[in-house]
């Protein structure tokens, strides 16, 4: 017989089925908010039996099957069931019990080895799996409750070294046993070095034949170190994978934080800034109680009332069991939300998704919404101007159908109409050119931007400040084997990330190799920002995949003035080893530089972890923050282009930024942050509004301040942003208010 390994396989095969409407229980509830809470509560009640990632159904079933095995059953039957049960227990977080079962499996080999085909291979895989289980046990006992800023930061050192070393020691022992028989296994080599780091014995303690990471770790350029201060601020929420948005939700010009978890019972959380770099829990006052679940979130002012609303996306990866409703949460301006999904036309059908994007694709002054669904056609919701939506995807020609994982809008050919890029896990990526008449044409093949064929996060940006939008799209071959092989310089079969440079006229050129980005990174969450305020956009990737062997650092890449990228993961202290999801670049403490928030945690209850906030050490460069308010255009200015012309050391250059929330898994503030390098002033600041096709120009603008700019007005208004300053400028009255 063959031992069936119960590893998680993220199948991307499409399947049919009708959309699941609201249940009869929810149909009788008139209030949209109450109806959503009832629908989510019903989903929770089904989780245990329906969802293999989250429920305990597999564990119960396997326990019963194991207990009911007849006395005369073949020992191989017990071995198979016991291994599968160990996997289910690992996923549920009962790690020690799983370790004990795996030990028991190995102890059976003198009895079953002679009757089990490929017995040596099965024994090797069990040994490797036991090592992985021990590593997770080591994390549970040392990292999960660790409040030290060095905890789980690759390479592990200082306060990150484990206090209880027994589990990691056992992991190293079993990995060494495995490698003696499989000396070239990249995953085992990688995990062995990580295990010795946790013991404080790296690199000298690693057997010499597998001690290969010392050169790799030292490859980063020198860079100031960031520190995780989430525990100090109470922002270290412990949860599974989920979404995060950093935004000013109550209009006080300070940034707040909202997070979610894909756990159907995982409560959304909201923290409001106290105006001094600290936060208070605002979840109950935000009316979020009972609004649970959500692998991702994106924000927008969908109704044009001047405050930022939230769209919560649910059901991704769960296939037919993931037909959960998304939530549109309307903000009343005081960071109190009401679920209006069923009122506005977004609750008619439930499809599994984690990706969506806002844009005014028809230039009528309000924001429309594209939702990339995994199993079914994607949806393009046209906003009628009153905040009600109608799905027009079929007429527009953007139904997709290739298991999309990332979607972003950007006017790549500068014709004023935003275009749509879709990153697919199954099949070529799509670039939908906006024809300007409500329809789109997929031009990805002729533009040369279809790869990688298995991809995940993506974004439009201008990485080289030439005024044209470029595309970054990351490959996603969900196996630590390929990552480890790439990191260690071994051959592999995985596709690599792509960077396509745009010419502003509709053409693209693949510059991945020359920009030093042809890497295997396996990102899910990601975003970009200017962490050193030099005026060139950098990016941070939240990496990983569900299996516990996916123990790899999240990765940071610095833009070297548009000429290439340098990895600064280890030198910057940003290589957190836990699975990374939503990423946000945001200046939470108003000190002029962007800090990095990342939502951490895996897909299983046993792989939950605490979120991180990496505080920027500062780089002594200048900056400007620009908050736009549309009058003819959409209120939040999404899609508008900002250009800052500056002079540095006698040389002139331009810095470009488009208004959006960044990447496709995590939300940057819609107030745009531009690094200015050493320039103390902006010679000319230009705001281009594509909807009205108008440009505002401001001369000689002082750096290091926040500007509020209304579309069409001849003057900008400033907002003091120092931590001790609380006087704001009211744009309409020009008078100071507290």
């Amino acid at each position: 017989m063959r031992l069936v390994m119960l590893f998680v396989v993220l199948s991307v095969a499409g399947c049919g089925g009708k959309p699941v409407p609201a249940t009869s229980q929810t149909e009788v509830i008139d209030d949209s908010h109450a109806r959503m809470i009832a629908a989510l509560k019903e989903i929770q009640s089904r989780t245990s039996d329906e969802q293999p990632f989250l429920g305990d159904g597999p564990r119960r079933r396997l326990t019963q099957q194991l207990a009911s095995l007849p006395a005369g059953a073949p020992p191989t039957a017990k071995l198979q069931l016991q291994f599968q049960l160990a996997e289910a227990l690992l996923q549920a977080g009962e790690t020690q019990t799983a370790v004990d079962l795996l030990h028991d499996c190995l102890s059976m080999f003198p009895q079953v080895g002679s009757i089990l085909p490929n017995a040596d291979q099965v024994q090797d895989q069990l040994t490797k799996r036991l090592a992985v289980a021990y590593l997770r046990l080591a994390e549970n006992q040392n990292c999960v409750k660790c409040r030290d800023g060095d905890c789980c930061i690759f390479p592990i050192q200082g306060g990150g070294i484990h206090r209880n070393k027994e589990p990691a020691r056992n992991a190293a022992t079993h990995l060494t046993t495995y490698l003696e028989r499989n000396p070239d296994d990249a995953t085992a080599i990688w995990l062995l070095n990580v295990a010795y780091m946790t013991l404080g014995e790296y690199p000298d303690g690693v057997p010499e034949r597998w001690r290969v990471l010392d050169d790799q770790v030292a490859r980063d350029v020198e860079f100031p170190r960031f520190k995780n201060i989430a525990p100090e601020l109470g922002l270290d929420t412990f949860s599974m994978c989920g979404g995060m948005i950093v935004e000013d939700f109550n209009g006080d010009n300070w940034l707040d934080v909202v997070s979610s978890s894909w756990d159907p019972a995982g409560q959304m959380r909201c923290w409001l800034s106290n105006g001094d770099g600290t936060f208070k829990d605002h979840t109950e006052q935000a009316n979020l109680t009972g609004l649970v679940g959500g692998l991702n979130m994106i924000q927008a002012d969908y109704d044009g009332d001047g405050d930022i609303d939230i769209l919560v996306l649910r059901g991704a990866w769960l296939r037919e069991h993931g037909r959960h409703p998304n939530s549109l949460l309307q903000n009343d301006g005081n960071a109190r939300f009401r679920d209006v999904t069923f009122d506005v036309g977004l609750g008619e059908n439930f499809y599994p998704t984690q990706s969506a994007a806002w844009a005014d694709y028809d230039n009528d002054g309000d924001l429309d919404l594209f939702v990339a669904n995994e199993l079914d056609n994607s949806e393009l919701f046209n906003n009628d101007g009153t905040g009600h939506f109608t799905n027009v995807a079929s007429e527009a020609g953007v139904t997709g159908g290739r298991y999309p994982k990332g979607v972003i809008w950007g006017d790549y050919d500068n014709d004023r109409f935003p275009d749509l890029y879709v990153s697919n896990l199954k099949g070529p990526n799509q670039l939908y050119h906006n024809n300007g008449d409500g329809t789109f044409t997929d031009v990805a093949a002729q533009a040369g931007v279809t790869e990688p064929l298995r991809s995940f996060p993506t974004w439009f940006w201008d990485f080289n400040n030439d005024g044209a939008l470029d595309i970054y799209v990351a490959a996603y071959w969900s196996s630590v084997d390929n990552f480890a092989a790439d990191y260690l310089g071994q051959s592999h079969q995985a596709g690599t990330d792509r960077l396509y440079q745009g010419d502003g006229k509709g053409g693209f050129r693949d510059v991945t190799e020359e920009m030093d980005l042809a890497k295997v990174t396996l990102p899910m969450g990601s975003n970009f920002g200017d962490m050193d305020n030099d005026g060139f956009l950098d990016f941070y990737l939240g990496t990983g995949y569900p299996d516990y062997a996916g123990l790899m650092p999240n990765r940071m890449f610095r833009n070297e003035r548009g000429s290439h990228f340098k990895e600064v993961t280890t030198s910057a202290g940003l290589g957190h080893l836990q699975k990374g999801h939503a990423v946000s670049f945001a200046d939470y403490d108003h000190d002029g530089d962007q800090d990095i928030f990342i939502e951490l945690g895996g897909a299983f209850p046993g792989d939950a972890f605490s979120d991180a906030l990496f505080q920027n050490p500062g780089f002594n460069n200048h900056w400007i923050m620009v908050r736009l308010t549309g009058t003819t255009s959409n209120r939040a200015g999404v899609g508008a282009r900002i250009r800052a012309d500056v002079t540095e050391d006698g040389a002139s250059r331009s810095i470009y930024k488009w208004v959006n929330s960044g990447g496709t898994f995590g939300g940057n503030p819609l107030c745009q942050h531009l690094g200015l390098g050493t320039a103390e002033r902006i010679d000319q600041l230009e705001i281009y509004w594509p909807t009205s096709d108008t440009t505002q120009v401001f001369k000689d603008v002082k750096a290091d301040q926040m500007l509020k700019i209304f579309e069409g007005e001849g003057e900008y208004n400033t907002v003091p942003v120092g931590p001790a300053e609380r006087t704001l400028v009211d744009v309409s009255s020009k008078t100071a208010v507290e």
Side-chain angles (χ1 to χ4, degrees):
M1 61 157 288
R2 179 183 180 188
L3 181 64
V4 179
M5 297 296 196
L6 187 66
F7 294 130
V8 176
V9 178
L10 298 182
S11 173
V12 298
C15 59
K18 297 293 185 180
V20 178
T23 65
S24 57
Q25 177 185 358
T26 59
E27 287 172 350
V28 299
I29 301 175
D30 292 332
D31 179 74
S32 180
H33 189 91
R35 183 177 173 185
M36 180 60 70
I37 290 176
L40 297 177
K41 186 175 182 180
E42 184 176 342
I43 289 169
Q44 289 181 56
S45 70
R46 304 196 306 263
T47 296
S48 181
D49 294 322
E50 287 187 354
Q51 297 179 14
F53 283 94
L54 303 166
D56 61 358
R59 179 178 41 168
R60 293 198 317 268
R61 185 185 70 254
L62 290 164
T63 301
Q64 292 168 358
Q65 290 176 354
L66 192 61
S68 62
L69 270 180
T76 52
K78 180 181 179 182
L79 177 65
Q80 179 173 340
L81 285 173
Q82 195 159 295
F83 176 80
Q84 292 176 337
L85 178 58
E87 282 293 312
L89 290 167
L90 271 177
Q91 295 166 10
E94 298 183 34
T95 315
Q96 183 63 63
T97 306
V99 165
D100 294 341
L101 276 175
L102 289 170
H103 269 295
D104 195 36
C105 286
L106 283 172
S107 71
M108 296 169 64
F109 266 79
Q111 180 183 7
V112 303
S114 61
I115 61 175
L116 184 66
N118 303 317
D120 289 345
Q121 294 179 23
V122 173
Q123 187 173 10
D124 285 349
Q125 291 304 313
L126 277 170
T127 302
K128 185 178 179 182
R129 200 59 185 162
L130 178 58
V132 170
Y134 266 123
L135 279 175
R136 185 60 209 179
L137 185 63
E139 294 171 81
N140 290 344
Q141 295 183 359
N142 293 274
C143 306
V144 166
K145 296 182 180 179
C146 177
R147 300 182 70 81
D148 190 288
D150 290 334
C151 181
C152 273
I153 303 298
F154 178 84
I156 296 170
Q157 54 193 355
I161 295 174
H162 290 185
R163 291 169 174 80
N164 179 5
K165 299 184 179 182
E166 182 180 359
R169 180 78 63 195
N170 288 331
T173 298
H174 289 289
L175 285 167
T176 301
T177 299
Y178 173 82
L179 282 166
E180 291 289 350
R181 297 168 61 97
N182 305 272
D184 299 321
D185 187 300
T187 298
I189 294 171
W190 169 264
L191 294 177
L192 181 68
N193 281 265
V194 171
Y196 274 101
M197 286 180 187
T198 69
L199 295 169
E201 300 174 10
Y202 171 86
D204 294 339
V206 184
E208 187 174 358
R209 63 188 297 193
W210 298 303
R211 190 191 308 154
V212 296
L213 291 187
D214 47 350
D215 292 337
Q216 296 295 320
V217 170
R219 69 185 175 180
D220 282 6
V221 297
E222 185 176 347
F223 203 75
R225 192 170 180 86
F226 288 62
K227 180 185 177 183
N228 178 18
I229 62 168
E232 302 171 25
L233 297 179
L235 294 175
D236 55 336
T237 302
F238 185 77
S239 66
M240 288 181 276
C241 52
M244 177 178 287
I245 297 171
V246 182
E247 184 60 82
D248 177 11
F249 285 110
N250 62 353
D252 66 354
N253 296 300
W254 286 80
L255 294 174
D256 313 304
V257 181
V258 172
S259 70
S260 67
S261 169
W262 93 314
D263 180 359
Q267 174 62 57
M268 287 185 63
R269 302 287 300 277
C270 177
W271 293 266
L272 291 189
S273 172
N274 292 317
D276 58 3
T278 66
F279 295 83
K280 59 186 174 186
D281 192 327
H282 185 70
T283 303
E284 184 176 352
Q285 298 91 327
N287 198 34
L288 296 179
T289 304
L291 292 173
V292 293
L295 184 56
N296 194 14
M297 301 182 293
I298 55 171
Q299 80 272 32
D301 182 3
Y302 86 92
D303 53 2
D305 63 355
D307 46 56
I308 304 301
D309 314 295
I310 298 172
L311 180 72
V312 184
L313 301 160
R314 299 188 177 98
W317 299 115
L318 298 176
R319 300 179 64 78
E320 288 295 336
H321 296 311
R323 294 183 180 274
H324 301 172
N326 299 322
S327 280
L328 180 61
L329 307 180
Q330 185 182 48
N331 187 352
D332 70 355
N334 297 304
R336 182 174 175 83
F337 298 91
R338 178 176 177 270
D339 194 307
V340 296
T341 307
F342 298 107
D343 289 341
V344 301
L346 296 180
E348 295 181 6
N349 300 311
F350 301 169
Y351 303 118
T353 182
Q354 68 169 49
S355 190
W358 297 93
D360 183 4
Y361 79 87
D362 52 3
N363 275 335
D364 64 354
D366 49 53
L367 287 176
D368 311 297
L369 173 66
F370 183 83
V371 181
N373 295 316
E374 291 179 352
L375 300 184
D376 302 86
N377 288 339
S378 294
E379 298 164 294
L380 175 61
F381 290 103
N382 181 268
N383 189 336
D384 67 0
T386 68
H388 190 274
F389 297 89
T390 302
N391 181 18
V392 296
S394 293
E395 303 95 292
V398 292
T399 53
R402 299 174 184 171
Y403 212 90
K405 301 306 295 179
V407 57
I408 196 71
W409 294 93
D411 181 11
Y412 71 88
D413 57 353
N414 289 316
D415 65 355
R416 294 180 47 238
F417 287 88
D419 311 293
L420 186 66
Y421 188 72
V422 182
S423 168
N424 296 305
L425 198 60
K426 185 184 179 184
N429 299 326
Q430 294 148 313
L431 176 61
Y432 290 109
H433 176 258
N434 190 333
N435 298 321
D437 59 1
T439 68
F440 295 77
T441 302
D442 183 5
V443 298
Q446 65 192 65
V449 295
T450 57
E451 295 183 346
L453 297 181
R454 294 164 62 176
S455 59
F456 205 144
T458 185
W459 58 75
F460 279 111
W461 63 343
D462 184 0
F463 79 89
N464 57 352
N465 280 324
D466 65 353
L469 282 175
D470 314 302
I471 299 173
Y472 176 87
V473 55
Y476 194 74
W477 290 59
S478 54
S479 169
V480 72
D481 296 352
N482 294 312
F483 161 79
D486 183 66
Y487 201 94
L488 302 176
Q490 300 179 2
S491 61
H492 58 82
Q493 301 301 314
T496 64
D497 304 342
R498 292 287 195 277
L499 177 61
Y500 297 107
Q501 181 178 328
D503 62 9
K505 302 175 183 178
F508 289 91
R509 184 170 67 91
D510 188 337
V511 296
T512 310
E513 293 281 352
E514 62 190 82
M515 292 297 132
D516 295 331
L517 291 178
K519 303 178 186 300
V520 177
T521 55
L522 272 76
M524 298 172 289
S526 59
N527 222 318
F528 59 87
D530 187 357
M531 64 174 174
D532 52 3
N533 277 337
D534 67 349
F536 290 89
L537 294 171
D538 317 296
F539 66 98
Y540 187 50
L541 303 177
T543 66
Y545 69 105
D547 192 88
Y548 288 166
L551 197 61
M552 59 192 74
N554 300 311
R555 301 174 72 173
M556 184 78 214
F557 294 88
R558 184 196 189 197
N559 189 336
E560 298 289 322
R561 302 186 72 83
S563 65
H564 63 288
F565 287 83
K566 285 279 191 181
E567 183 163 5
V568 296
T569 299
T570 60
S571 55
L574 292 168
H576 207 296
L577 283 170
Q578 296 299 315
K579 296 177 177 66
H581 289 84
V583 174
S584 300
F585 282 75
D587 182 8
Y588 83 96
D589 52 2
H590 281 191
D591 64 353
D593 48 47
Q594 290 185 301
D595 311 289
I596 301 174
F597 292 74
I598 182 168
E599 203 278 346
L600 298 167
F604 302 118
D607 204 13
F609 207 80
S610 302
D611 300 341
L613 165 58
F614 291 103
Q615 188 174 45
N616 194 317
F619 292 82
N620 297 318
N621 282 329
H622 296 283
W623 51 274
I624 198 81
M625 286 192 286
V626 181
R627 183 178 295 280
L628 300 182
T629 300
T631 52
T632 300
S633 305
N634 70 87
R635 185 71 178 267
V638 172
R641 186 192 68 206
I642 302 169
R643 172 177 172 173
D645 296 334
V646 300
T647 302
E648 284 184 298
D649 301 323
S652 298
R653 68 182 178 107
S654 298
I655 299 163
Y656 292 86
K657 196 81 181 289
W658 278 255
V659 179
N660 58 29
S661 59
T664 53
F665 206 152
N668 292 346
L670 293 177
C671 178
Q672 298 299 299
H673 183 114
L674 284 76
L676 303 176
T678 61
E680 298 181 0
R681 310 191 73 83
I682 300 174
D683 301 328
Q684 179 168 295
L685 181 66
E686 176 185 293
I687 313 297
Y688 174 68
W689 302 84
T691 296
S692 59
D693 196 19
T694 58
T695 302
Q696 290 168 278
V697 177
F698 306 97
K699 303 281 190 178
D700 192 27
V701 179
K702 184 178 180 297
D704 304 332
Q705 60 179 332
M706 179 191 291
L707 309 182
K708 285 189 172 182
I709 298 176
F710 276 61
E711 182 179 13
E713 292 198 0
E715 298 180 358
Y716 59 81
N717 298 271
T718 61
V719 178
V721 293
E725 300 174 290
R726 299 294 296 158
T727 302
L728 309 180
V729 176
D730 186 301
V731 175
S732 59
S733 65
K734 307 288 186 182
T735 60
V737 296
E738 292 297 321

